[in-house]
Amino acid sequence: RFLPSEFGMDPARMGHALEPGRVTFDEKMEIRNAIEEANIGHTYISANCFAAYFVPNLCQMRTLLPPKERVNVYGDGNVKAIFMDEDDIATYTIKTIDDPRALNKTVYLRPLENILSQNELIAKWEKLSGKALEKIPIPSAEFLASMEGTDLANQVGVGHYHHIFYEGCLTNFAIGDDGEEEGSLLYPKVQYTRMEEYMERYA
């Protein structure tokens, strides 16, 4: 069983991705196409947002630390994303390796209690820390304009964040085709980490 090192968003659903960040998905699809043309048994893991990069910083770019006074909110902050503890991603991934139900399929990691909006994530942190943050809403056009004149890494990051937090690319589709499975339904005994628990490490 071959599991390409992609995780994150499902590149098969990102054909509309913004430049220059779409190269990430195009390159992953080249690998997928080669795997399938060679008839290699595979499982693709779509793990969504790795918590370490999105949760302690409340989805702020260019920092991994919790905001102290104010937090940028993408649009109205109500678009749902999915946040995963990295150890849980590893647990689900290992379980797929010899599972015939996952053979030649995409497994999406969508544990119900970790499907959260940015506002919900912020509220959890405020409750845990006991401190309210000033919320600064960033309209879509303003956020996209922030990539102008910046380095490539920032442009890629802005594009990916826009797809996640403005378009809802992680949650705006249903899982159910023959080639798709949902990890927490396949393996209901996995006690996955809720984001309240994850945040306690940073409180």
Side-chain angles (χ1 to χ4, degrees):
R1 187 78 60 87
F2 184 60
L3 283 78
S5 178
E6 30 171 85
F7 303 92
M9 307 176 218
D10 179 5
R13 295 184 181 273
M14 297 306 296
H16 66 290
L18 295 169
E19 296 285 4
R22 67 167 296 128
V23 67
T24 302
F25 310 113
D26 292 342
E27 290 177 347
K28 288 178 179 179
M29 287 308 298
E30 287 183 25
I31 299 297
R32 285 194 180 192
N33 292 335
I35 292 168
E36 291 166 21
E37 287 172 7
N39 293 316
I40 297 171
H42 60 271
T43 300
Y44 305 137
I45 304 292
S46 179
N48 301 297
C49 295
F50 279 42
Y53 292 104
F54 289 91
V55 174
N57 59 5
L58 305 181
C59 309
Q60 306 302 284
M61 295 185 67
R62 293 180 289 278
T63 181
L64 297 177
L65 300 175
K68 294 183 177 180
E69 304 292 337
R70 59 188 62 84
V71 58
N72 290 331
V73 176
Y74 306 115
D76 63 9
N78 291 324
V79 173
K80 297 283 188 176
I82 305 165
F83 305 94
M84 292 293 303
D85 178 287
E86 291 78 10
D87 289 344
D88 293 342
I89 294 171
T91 298
Y92 284 115
T93 299
I94 290 297
K95 285 183 174 297
T96 70
I97 287 177
D98 57 359
D99 187 343
R101 298 174 298 171
L103 178 62
N104 297 337
K105 292 186 177 181
T106 299
V107 175
Y108 297 89
L109 303 185
R110 280 188 176 187
L112 188 60
E113 292 187 46
N114 285 0
I115 303 174
L116 301 165
S117 69
Q118 188 188 11
N119 283 336
E120 289 171 326
L121 204 64
I122 292 169
K124 290 179 185 298
W125 175 251
E126 289 179 327
K127 181 179 179 180
L128 183 63
S129 67
K131 183 176 183 179
L133 297 169
E134 178 187 358
K135 286 86 174 171
I136 303 171
I138 310 295
S140 173
E142 179 181 334
F143 185 70
L144 286 175
S146 71
M147 73 166 67
E148 294 177 11
T150 63
D151 60 74
L152 179 63
N154 184 69
Q155 292 180 45
V156 169
V158 168
H160 289 183
Y161 267 61
H162 191 273
H163 294 309
I164 294 170
F165 296 109
Y166 290 91
E167 297 175 5
C169 72
L170 303 180
T171 56
N172 63 4
F173 61 92
I175 299 169
D177 291 345
D178 289 342
E180 301 174 347
E181 298 287 350
E182 201 282 295
S184 66
L185 296 180
L186 282 179
Y187 313 110
K189 292 184 179 180
V190 172
Q191 297 297 310
Y192 66 86
T193 304
R194 277 64 172 174
M195 290 303 102
E196 297 94 325
E197 302 167 56
Y198 198 93
M199 287 178 171
E200 289 176 356
R201 306 171 191 177
Y202 298 87

